[in-house]
Amino acid sequence: MAYRDRYTLIPLRITAYLRTPVVSDRWLPLDGILLYQAHRDLFGAQDATIPGEYIRKGVQTLPLGIKHPGRRIWYYQCSWAQWPEIVAKGQDHWNKRFDAGLADLINLGKKRKIVIESGKYRAYHYPIFYRSALWIRWYAVGDLEEIKRLLSTVTHIGKKGVQGWGRVRRWEIRKQEDDWSVWRDGKLMRGIPIEAYMKERTGQEIPPDLTIANYGIRPSYWKRSNQRQVVMPA
């Protein structure tokens, strides 16, 4: 069965209502969250992060529309995070320090004490930067039921979820008339490759309020093979 026959792709509005601030950059692509959840669904929660496993037999496509299929510049019809007008930004720290009360349980060899300044038992006081809002919203062209199923087990988004950051109170996935997954009223809703921008805008020059950066165009966003020169949203 062909990919487009497996899913019913329609314009969607997807909202995460939050309990706690989110540790992430402002973009927080939803297709990255969906790819991780799709691999958890395929491999199981404990095996989702086996190195290289997703490459050999992992998820090939998501229940999302694709722009420029068959080309190297393809990307999903899925916006990056759209934040409300009121967003608080701040900095906190996460800490890790060895519990000296457990020193008797460790074989130190010839060492006489546990060194926390460096090495295996190094203590950390590391800064994190967060964004706090009541909700985050994305727009996509995708299969409503499959996306709802994948997101039903997403309890945290962003980094440091195990420390309580990015806790989701509930998800809301709704149909909508207009496709705002990439463009909304002539404005970008996500980053797209320069080649795609020139193709979709029929050779128009890039406006001065937009910037060009080296960024991923599809998940996994950290993979260098998925990174290109991208026209970023204003």
Side-chain angles (χ1 to χ4, degrees):
M1 185 181 294
Y3 165 75
R4 293 187 179 276
D5 295 332
R6 295 205 309 267
Y7 302 116
T8 301
L9 306 179
I10 58 174
L12 300 173
R13 185 184 74 184
I14 303 164
T15 308
Y17 293 93
L18 302 173
R19 288 186 182 274
T20 59
V22 179
V23 178
S24 76
D25 62 16
R26 62 179 294 190
W27 308 122
L28 193 57
L30 179 67
D31 50 3
I33 298 173
L34 289 173
L35 182 66
Y36 178 77
Q37 288 303 117
H39 279 104
R40 281 175 59 98
D41 188 53
L42 178 64
F43 296 130
Q46 298 302 317
D47 298 331
T49 56
I50 294 177
E53 199 70 1
Y54 78 99
I55 297 174
R56 289 188 289 271
K57 54 183 180 180
V59 176
Q60 300 302 314
T61 54
L62 294 173
L64 295 167
I66 295 176
K67 297 282 286 185
H68 308 290
R71 298 172 179 263
R72 291 183 63 189
I73 59 173
W74 73 268
Y75 54 92
Y76 289 112
Q77 288 179 270
C78 187
S79 78
W80 291 352
Q82 308 297 310
W83 299 81
E85 291 185 5
I86 300 176
V87 177
K89 304 173 188 177
Q91 176 181 336
D92 207 328
H93 294 81
W94 65 270
N95 301 282
K96 185 181 79 171
R97 185 181 178 90
F98 179 78
D99 186 349
L102 301 177
D104 293 339
L105 303 178
I106 297 177
N107 181 8
L108 297 176
K110 295 182 180 180
K111 295 181 180 180
R112 295 185 176 181
K113 69 173 184 177
I114 293 175
V115 179
I116 63 171
E117 289 77 16
S118 62
K120 182 178 180 180
Y121 302 108
R122 179 183 176 184
Y124 285 91
H125 179 67
Y126 201 82
I128 54 174
F129 301 91
Y130 63 82
R131 300 171 65 86
S132 181
L134 294 177
W135 50 264
I136 310 173
R137 182 165 292 152
W138 298 265
Y139 298 93
V141 172
D143 185 280
L144 186 149
E145 293 303 322
E146 182 64 7
I147 290 175
K148 183 182 294 186
R149 185 183 72 83
L150 289 174
L151 293 178
S152 65
T153 56
V154 178
T155 59
H156 296 76
I157 56 178
K159 296 181 179 180
K160 302 300 177 185
V162 295
Q163 297 178 7
W165 296 97
R167 185 178 177 187
V168 178
R169 178 162 59 90
R170 65 182 177 91
W171 289 92
E172 180 183 84
I173 301 100
R174 292 187 177 182
K175 302 177 184 179
Q176 69 166 37
E177 293 295 326
D178 299 315
D179 173 10
W180 291 343
S181 61
V182 181
W183 298 92
R184 180 178 180 180
D185 301 329
K187 296 183 178 180
L188 276 173
M189 299 290 280
R190 57 161 296 145
I192 63 175
I194 294 177
E195 306 96 308
Y197 184 94
M198 302 303 289
K199 183 179 179 63
E200 294 180 26
R201 293 288 129 174
T202 59
Q204 294 180 15
E205 292 186 1
I206 298 173
D209 63 326
L210 299 182
T211 59
I212 297 174
N214 190 56
Y215 204 89
I217 61 174
R218 57 181 176 267
S220 299
Y221 282 84
W222 52 264
K223 285 184 65 177
R224 294 191 66 177
S225 60
N226 290 341
Q227 295 174 356
R228 303 182 71 87
Q229 291 292 294
V230 172
V231 182
M232 304 294 279

